[in-house]
Amino acid sequence: MFRTALRNVLAHKARLLMTVLAVMLGVAFVSGTLVFTDTLSNAYGNQSAKSYKNVAVAVTTYPDRENSKKDQGIDTRTLEKIQALDGVASATGRISGFAGVADPDGKLIGNGWSNTGANFKPGKDGKDAAYDFTDGSGPAKAGEIALDKATADKGEYKTGDTVRVATNGPVKEYTLSGVFTTEDGQVNAGGSLVLFDTPVAQQLYLAPGYFKDVTITAASGTSEQRLLDEVKPLLPEGAEAQTGKELADDQAKMIEESLSALNQVLLGFAAIALFVGVFLISNTFTMLVAQRTRELALMRAVGASRRQVKRSVLLEAMVVGALASVVGFALGLGLATGLRSAMSAFGAKTPAGPLIVSPTSVAAAFAVGVLVTMLAAWLPARRAAKIPPVAAMNSVHAVATTKSLVVRNSIGGFIALLGAAGILGGAAAGKDGRMLIGAGAFLALIGIIVLIPLLSRPVIALVRPLISKLFGVSGTLAGQNAVRNPRRTGATASALAIGLTLVTGLSVLGVTMGRAVDKMTTDNIKADYMFTMAGGDSLDKSALSALEKVPGVSAVSPQTAADLMLKGDYTSASGVTPGDIERVINVTPVSGSLDSLGEGRIAVAEDTAKSRGFKVGDSVPVEFADGKKSKLTVGATYKGNEFLSPVLIDQKTVTEHEAKPYIREIWVKTDGGASAANEKALVDALGQNPAISVMDQQDIRNQFGGMINTMLNIMYGLLGMALLIAVLGVINTLAMSVFERQQEIGMLRAIGLDRRKVKTMIRLEAVVISLFGAVIGVGLGTFLGWAIGQTVKDSVPGYALVLPWDRIGIFLLLAAVVGVLAAMWPARSAAKLNMLDAIKAE
């Protein structure tokens, strides 16, 4: 039976090609994902281990931004005590914070969040073990800096050049003293690293004489644990000490956890692609079994048992799955390499290292490929084994029994109704119903797949008169052929339906969310410009002062994060400019007056006031971030606004209690509105700081909406593989259908149907099947998009369902195009058939 199975695979290799391609693509996605994440995890793990190779103990502190002396990290005296311990070879103090480098055009080099500044701390030999200089040396005085090689190359800077660097204050110019290489993770993530002289870094990021972290190397013969035990008693409260090995292990664990989310997402899309491939594989083996009915019947007649027949078909599937897995795994290695290169192309450099091919990746890839193929072939194999030899020889088996169809449709209807109930129940439950919707969506999809053969006749019947009228005999025949075998049509359309269900659901949700965010921005923002610091850091107070002095500016208000304890409970608050805040943000008073902010009172959002029992005129006990206590009077309540904290307070009051206030953003309104001249004046006033981003209203809308569109495009790209497999399914079905109908096509040609009309017939059949699957997918996807939207609408103000008719139209058009393209080869083959050979073919 094994020889028979192998012979059948070789005999039908052309017909099995599409199945091989489907399995190959799915395996490539699975193996590529596993190899890619294993490679990244190994590379970053090695980088982390290398970074802490000579570190025996690492001390980390968490200074607050209030600049209070009691909580500023490790002071010089403590560092000297650590250096004096027996067994300590060296102890190096480190400070770090944000530092952005401008390129020659004044633009920021790097992505903002990973742009870092740190101190250069040389030892007695004048070198800092953390950095290897390729040119020049480390900074030795206040006006010097050193840059990592990648940043220097991007900015085309050489030793001795003047470099503009932005920290949290005004831009300053420095002389480049040297260029170095580093294994710093932030640099590898596409950021930059600027090294300052230690006193300069302390002044910029902490306080003179203080360090944020300390790295300690051990003298020969000293254990890390012993050193750790000796260091801990010297540390201030809140400091954390770990051995170098513990730190490296923690880093490796964090890397693995961060990559696991990416791994799960990619594997999820691989599962979708394989699920779609199941229909193609099952369809292929169903048709192959049907074509070999007499052969299988003869085998049964000469003594083969049902089990042997089933085993023969499953062996064929196993061979096909194994071959496809081999090729798919090789493609997966290429995909992993490509993904790694793509990360570098987007600026996220990955550490050097080999491609990691673990036994788990190999086993998973081959297990998936072979098991999915055999699972898909199991039903056709079972069906083939149940055919009685005499019935098979007479082709009686070809007619599906009424009982089997009734059972199938009853089961499908029950599952679909159960799924629909789950989706509706989840939508009614709001944010707590997402899991229920997920389960309901799975059941609904399975139910629809089971019911698709039943649905094919009435749905396709709606378009048959149209194509008959437009294309005559070819259209009539195409409509009849599309429903001749409902099971086959349903299985082919199911693949497209699954892909378009997901694509449409994502589109409905994404477009609706994008429109809600856009409306929220338009309704709430009056300012012409918003200024923020790269990487989410705080803007300096000098930026606020500079913008207030620009000619033509009519209103300026910051949003400064304020830590307040109101009546003993922490409350998020924003320091704003009284009188100007209403001109830059749409703040609607409910009671009292917002002018009272200028009198030292607070304004409270309506919902917060209700939940906390506050009303206008109440005197509320408050404790500020510096520990000072007072009482503040509620001067107004206002409707909640997504761009404001639930409590507003005068900016001046905040700065009285915070030496370094955290200014999240600054809103500016100008005379004449947004214009190139106004924007230039504002940017110039800030010293053309590359680290400060300026956005007008359209930029703000694009920032929020752009994230949604980017996510949608990524999803479309990942789902493209599932749709590609669906296209292969259409090609496969038509090709085998043409093979089965050779006599019929030959007869049609003999009675006058020319080659052009034969091609038209096959193409129309493909278009009808593709559009049928597309309509089912678009309908179910829209339903799911609505249901998921119901779970998030309460947290998204202004949420209202938007049906993206333009995208839905494109999806349907693409489905029709898919049908035309998929039919090219089968239609050409059908048209080229020799009518006499086809008529006499057995």
Side-chain angles (χ1 to χ4, degrees), residues 54 138 174 196 202 475 497 561 812:
N54 297 318
Y174 297 86
F196 299 94
Q202 289 176 328
L812 294 175

Short mmCIF file of all heavy atoms in Angstrom, two decimals, residues 54 138 174 196 202 475 497 561 812:
data_model
loop_
_atom_site.label_atom_id
_atom_site.label_comp_id
_atom_site.label_asym_id
_atom_site.label_seq_id
_atom_site.Cartn_x
_atom_site.Cartn_y
_atom_site.Cartn_z
N ASN A 54 31.97 41.66 32.71
CA ASN A 54 32.95 42.00 33.75
C ASN A 54 32.31 42.65 34.98
O ASN A 54 33.01 43.18 35.84
CB ASN A 54 34.01 42.95 33.17
CG ASN A 54 34.82 42.29 32.07
OD1 ASN A 54 35.19 41.13 32.18
ND2 ASN A 54 35.07 43.03 30.99
N GLY A 138 37.43 60.05 24.81
CA GLY A 138 36.25 60.47 25.53
C GLY A 138 36.30 61.94 25.91
O GLY A 138 37.38 62.56 25.92
N TYR A 174 28.47 71.40 21.11
CA TYR A 174 29.61 70.74 21.73
C TYR A 174 30.62 70.38 20.65
O TYR A 174 30.27 70.21 19.47
CB TYR A 174 29.19 69.45 22.46
CG TYR A 174 28.23 69.66 23.62
CD1 TYR A 174 26.85 69.72 23.42
CD2 TYR A 174 28.71 69.78 24.92
CE1 TYR A 174 25.98 69.90 24.47
CE2 TYR A 174 27.84 69.95 26.00
CZ TYR A 174 26.47 70.01 25.75
OH TYR A 174 25.61 70.19 26.81
N PHE A 196 28.93 62.51 27.88
CA PHE A 196 29.36 63.80 28.42
C PHE A 196 30.44 63.56 29.46
O PHE A 196 30.58 62.45 30.02
CB PHE A 196 28.18 64.52 29.10
CG PHE A 196 27.03 64.84 28.19
CD1 PHE A 196 25.94 63.97 28.08
CD2 PHE A 196 27.01 66.01 27.45
CE1 PHE A 196 24.87 64.27 27.26
CE2 PHE A 196 25.93 66.32 26.64
CZ PHE A 196 24.87 65.45 26.53
N GLN A 202 26.12 64.87 35.41
CA GLN A 202 25.48 64.99 36.73
C GLN A 202 24.61 66.24 36.79
O GLN A 202 23.50 66.22 37.32
CB GLN A 202 26.54 65.01 37.83
CG GLN A 202 27.22 63.66 38.04
CD GLN A 202 28.34 63.73 39.07
OE1 GLN A 202 29.00 64.76 39.20
NE2 GLN A 202 28.54 62.64 39.80
N GLY A 475 -22.40 32.31 -19.74
CA GLY A 475 -22.85 32.71 -18.42
C GLY A 475 -23.79 31.69 -17.82
O GLY A 475 -23.71 31.39 -16.61
N ALA A 497 -13.69 33.17 2.23
CA ALA A 497 -14.60 33.72 3.24
C ALA A 497 -13.85 33.96 4.57
O ALA A 497 -14.05 34.98 5.23
CB ALA A 497 -15.78 32.79 3.46
N ALA A 561 2.19 67.70 34.59
CA ALA A 561 1.72 66.64 35.49
C ALA A 561 1.89 67.07 36.93
O ALA A 561 2.97 67.52 37.33
CB ALA A 561 2.50 65.35 35.23
N LEU A 812 -14.50 43.31 -2.71
CA LEU A 812 -15.32 42.55 -3.67
C LEU A 812 -14.69 42.58 -5.06
O LEU A 812 -14.69 41.57 -5.78
CB LEU A 812 -16.74 43.11 -3.71
CG LEU A 812 -17.55 42.94 -2.41
CD1 LEU A 812 -18.90 43.64 -2.53
CD2 LEU A 812 -17.76 41.46 -2.08
#
